[in-house]
Amino acid sequence: MAEMTPDQQKALAIAAARLRLQQGTSANAQDGSLSADNATRALATGVPIIGGALNKLDAATNATLAPIIDPLLPDSFQKLPGNSWEERYNQALNIQKGKDEAFHEEHPYVDTGLQVTGGVAGTIPAVMAAPAAFGAGSGNLLLRSLAAGGSGAAVGGTDAAVRNDGDRDAILTGMKWGGIAGGAGPTVGKIVGNGVRTLADALRARSAAQTAAMEPQAFSFFRRALTDDGLDAASLPQRLAEMGPDAIPADLGPNLQKQAGALAATPGRGQEIVRSALENRSAGANARVNAAIDENLGPRVVPSEIEHGIEANQLAVGPAYREAFQGAQPFDATPIANALDADIGRLRGPAQEVLRRVRGMMNEAGNGALSSDPRVMFETRQAIDGMLATEQNVKAIGALTDARQMLDDALRRAVPRIKEPDAMYAELARQDEAVSRGQQVLDSGRTAPRPSELAAEVEQGANPQGLQIGPSAVPLRLSQGARAEIDRIVGTNVNDIRAMNSLIKGEGDWNRQRLATLFGEEKANRLFQVLENEKAFADTANTVTRNSESAARLAAQNELGGAGNATFGVKEAFKAGGPMGAARSIAVDKLDDIVKALISADTGNATRESLARALVGEQREKLVQGLIKSQGMGRTPALVDPLVKSLLLNAGTARAR
């Protein structure tokens, strides 16, 4: 104080006076009114450890500042006349204790509530900061209780030590009650948490069911099946969108299909809704598949009609040949005839026989003399083409190919313009072969090309040959042949979506790659997605029908009293199949519980109808909104566990005071 200026001393005195006033050291030291001062003190006093030290800190502050501020206070304020610091400290502490006791006597419930509130508010942060120390979280209940008991004993003992000046008996009592309260925290927290969770889930489920426009029990059935199938509100619309506009929730998992099967077996409006939806969808399967094929692969074609058109175009090339031969001069075919005679004398077997036929064709009719007419050479070349189309002997094919090449070279010299109609005719012949080849691309045998081979054929087929101008139509004919084959598959499997799917998609990914080469990857993927969706739709209908029969048998057994006689349970399943067998048994039993619940008389028609509408996709948007609203069910609110532990811990420390 001596080192402070007068102004600083005055400011300190005024601040101390205000502090004394705020602490309530007035003449009426036993004031127990419901004032902000008393309420604040009660709230702070309830905090473990810290609350016990507050009065002592206040008393120490007042005892230290009393010599300075008491002379400045009016006579109406309570002063601390003690000569020593210890006397002033005890006087200030007694004043504060008196105020606390007076407030408790006049307002016991308010005082207790404020102390509890202060204690909980002061303890929750510690519980949340170190949950393991207070037995929060998951894990073995016994271990968590031991940890919580230890932390509770520590808090209780420390609080008692602070409030009772280190009294040994008080510390032991604080440790005892703090340990008991802390050790009970995990068990009580679990019980209370389960209760709070159950209540919160019930309220949230009812509200979510209203949002989904469903009966509460039906919504509960649907939500449980959805969860068991690994789906949630976020994934439901995405999965349905991936499967197309005709998809329904019952397509998305076995548990949802099991429910649909139970409803389909139970007479009533729910049965009608499920069966009608599946039957109507199945009736449109072929139309959807054909529409997808037309959209992505083009309109259907008939191979014979394409081939007839190609033949007609080949005939139309005839005038071009006649025009090319106009003014053609005779030419000497002797070199060719000599070469063939030499090969005939050397070769044996089929090769010799086919060359003899060719050599005979080069002679004039009737006299056997070698013809010099270019038209005879042209017809001989055409005949060789016909022989090559049916010949299988390798040596014969080689001999015919050489003979044709000699005739072709001679015709080019004798009839220069012949290559123009030749190019047109050859292009049409390539297209005709491509139509047949296209019908083989989806085969699984040796005649089917590998994806890389087909890609090479398409690339090579697009290149013009000879005097042809512009790209070839061979790739188009290949795709038309494949389109025709797909049309044949669909037509011969009109009532079997699975077989149709298998034949078009094939084993592995080769057919997808082949169709991508012919029609484009995007179109092939879209078609395969439609086929996969239709297969899933067919599987749903089949599963629901099969489950319906099983559910009907189960209902009959229940009615006749035979359902309860089964003795093959989890124990028997474990004996038969070990842990995996037991797990499968539990899963099957869980599904059967759903069936039993749905066909039970306790489940009303309104509930079954509501569930049926959800399973077939009616009011889909409301259903998703309801599921979103139900998220978080099954989880205890985050603050429940820390709150319970804080309440118990504060109760234990308060019991020891």
Side-chain angles (χ1 to χ4, degrees):
M1 292 292 293
E3 297 177 356
M4 299 176 65
T5 65
D7 290 339
Q8 290 175 331
Q9 293 177 9
K10 184 177 180 180
L12 177 60
I14 293 173
R18 288 177 177 172
L19 176 63
R20 180 76 60 81
L21 181 61
Q22 293 172 358
Q23 295 301 326
T25 54
S26 65
N28 186 12
Q30 303 304 316
D31 178 20
S33 63
L34 189 59
S35 63
D37 172 49
N38 286 331
T40 302
R41 287 167 53 77
L43 191 69
T45 302
V47 180
I49 304 174
I50 297 176
L54 289 178
N55 279 350
K56 296 180 179 181
L57 291 173
D58 290 344
T61 301
N62 289 329
T64 302
L65 297 177
I68 302 172
I69 65 175
D70 278 1
L72 303 176
L73 294 174
D75 293 337
S76 59
F77 280 79
Q78 177 70 47
K79 299 182 179 182
L80 303 176
N83 294 322
S84 66
W85 182 90
E86 185 176 357
E87 291 177 350
R88 294 194 299 273
Y89 171 79
N90 290 330
Q91 291 172 4
L93 189 60
N94 289 333
I95 290 172
Q96 295 180 55
K97 289 182 177 179
K99 287 177 64 65
D100 292 343
E101 292 173 358
F103 181 65
H104 183 75
E105 290 178 1
E106 294 185 25
H107 306 284
Y109 298 111
V110 175
D111 181 53
T112 301
L114 288 171
Q115 289 199 39
V116 170
T117 302
V120 171
T123 310
I124 282 181
V127 176
M128 297 183 69
F134 292 91
S138 59
N140 184 273
L141 182 61
L142 177 59
L143 295 179
R144 289 194 292 119
S145 298
L146 292 174
S151 60
V155 172
T158 305
D159 182 73
V162 171
R163 295 179 190 270
N164 297 278
D165 298 323
D167 182 76
R168 180 176 178 275
D169 292 338
I171 293 174
L172 293 176
T173 301
M175 293 179 64
K176 179 183 74 173
W177 289 110
I180 292 173
T187 301
V188 176
K190 183 176 181 180
I191 295 173
V192 173
N194 290 340
V196 172
R197 182 177 65 250
T198 300
L199 178 60
D201 285 354
L203 296 174
R204 186 176 295 177
R206 180 167 292 275
S207 176
Q210 291 177 348
T211 302
M214 291 181 66
E215 290 286 325
Q217 188 177 16
F219 183 78
S220 176
F221 280 143
F222 183 89
R223 183 177 175 277
R224 187 173 78 173
L226 195 74
T227 302
D228 290 343
D229 284 332
L231 301 169
D232 54 25
S235 60
L236 177 63
Q238 179 182 353
R239 287 285 305 278
L240 291 175
E242 291 173 354
M243 298 184 70
D246 295 287
I248 60 176
D251 295 320
L252 302 182
N255 290 280
L256 292 166
Q257 291 174 358
K258 190 84 170 183
Q259 288 186 354
L263 291 171
T266 307
R269 179 62 180 150
Q271 181 187 66
E272 180 183 347
I273 291 172
V274 171
R275 287 187 176 274
S276 296
L278 293 179
E279 289 171 2
N280 292 337
R281 187 174 68 173
S282 297
N286 290 321
R288 291 192 297 272
V289 170
N290 284 319
I293 293 174
D294 291 343
E295 178 183 354
N296 293 288
L297 307 187
R300 63 186 61 186
V301 295
V302 180
S304 60
E305 294 178 358
I306 298 175
E307 292 168 353
H308 291 159
I310 292 174
E311 291 174 2
N313 290 332
Q314 287 177 324
L315 292 175
V317 178
Y321 275 115
R322 287 192 293 271
E323 183 179 348
F325 276 100
Q326 290 180 0
Q329 299 296 321
F331 75 98
D332 185 8
T334 302
I336 300 175
N338 292 339
L340 292 177
D341 289 337
D343 288 340
I344 292 171
R346 176 177 54 83
L347 296 173
R348 296 294 183 270
Q352 184 185 53
E353 294 176 3
V354 295
L355 287 185
R356 280 176 177 169
R357 292 174 57 191
V358 171
R359 177 64 183 82
M361 294 176 191
M362 295 175 62
N363 295 333
E364 293 182 358
N367 58 19
L370 180 65
S371 175
S372 61
D373 187 348
R375 293 178 178 83
V376 173
M377 301 303 106
F378 172 75
E379 294 298 334
T380 302
R381 189 189 69 175
Q382 297 296 91
I384 292 175
D385 289 338
M387 296 168 66
L388 285 170
T390 59
E391 184 59 58
Q392 295 182 352
N393 185 270
V394 176
K395 297 289 288 184
I397 291 173
L400 288 172
T401 301
D402 291 341
R404 187 190 187 287
Q405 186 63 52
M406 288 187 291
L407 289 170
D408 189 66
D409 292 340
L411 282 171
R412 184 183 296 110
R413 294 190 299 271
V415 188
R417 296 176 56 191
I418 197 173
K419 284 303 166 184
E420 296 177 8
D422 271 353
M424 292 186 288
Y425 196 93
E427 165 64 15
L428 293 171
R430 293 175 66 205
Q431 293 182 26
D432 187 61
E433 293 177 0
V435 173
S436 299
R437 181 59 166 169
Q439 296 175 69
Q440 298 176 343
V441 297
L442 298 182
D443 291 349
S444 58
R446 294 182 178 179
T447 58
R450 290 174 169 77
S452 58
E453 293 173 335
L454 180 62
E457 290 181 24
V458 170
E459 182 179 359
Q460 183 180 0
N463 297 326
Q465 293 187 359
L467 298 180
Q468 180 188 350
I469 299 175
S472 171
V474 166
L476 171 64
R477 299 306 186 188
L478 283 169
S479 65
Q480 287 180 326
R483 173 66 180 87
E485 177 63 12
I486 290 175
D487 191 51
R488 185 194 68 80
I489 292 173
V490 173
T492 54
N493 295 276
V494 67
N495 295 319
D496 193 343
I497 293 294
R498 292 184 63 87
M500 181 191 307
N501 188 294
S502 176
L503 289 171
I504 295 177
K505 294 180 63 177
E507 298 293 335
D509 202 44
W510 277 17
N511 279 3
R512 182 190 296 269
Q513 296 179 42
R514 291 161 175 164
L515 292 181
T517 297
L518 295 177
F519 301 98
E521 185 174 0
E522 183 177 352
K523 292 182 177 180
N525 288 339
R526 284 203 299 263
L527 173 61
F528 274 50
Q529 184 62 58
V530 170
L531 292 173
E532 189 64 29
N533 293 344
E534 291 299 330
K535 176 178 174 292
F537 298 163
D539 288 344
T540 297
N542 181 53
T543 300
V544 169
T545 302
R546 186 174 65 246
N547 285 345
S548 298
E549 296 172 354
S550 300
R553 287 195 295 269
L554 180 61
Q557 289 176 345
N558 287 333
E559 183 178 0
L560 297 174
N565 295 330
T567 58
F568 192 88
V570 176
K571 179 179 178 181
E572 288 73 21
F574 181 84
K575 292 179 179 179
M580 291 301 297
R584 287 191 295 269
S585 176
I586 293 173
V588 171
D589 289 345
K590 187 176 182 181
L591 291 175
D592 287 342
D593 288 342
I594 299 175
V595 176
K596 292 176 183 178
L598 288 174
I599 65 179
S600 170
D602 295 335
T603 302
N605 288 328
T607 297
R608 284 191 281 264
E609 179 179 348
S610 178
L611 179 60
R613 294 187 183 280
L615 288 169
V616 300
E618 293 187 14
Q619 298 181 317
R620 185 177 300 179
E621 293 183 1
K622 290 185 177 180
L623 176 61
V624 173
Q625 291 173 0
L627 290 169
I628 292 175
K629 199 169 186 178
S630 70
Q631 288 180 335
M633 290 178 60
R635 294 197 297 267
T636 303
L639 283 177
V640 171
D641 195 46
L643 180 61
V644 171
K645 290 178 172 58
S646 298
L647 285 170
L648 287 172
L649 188 58
N650 280 277
T653 56
R655 177 69 175 79
R657 293 171 191 169

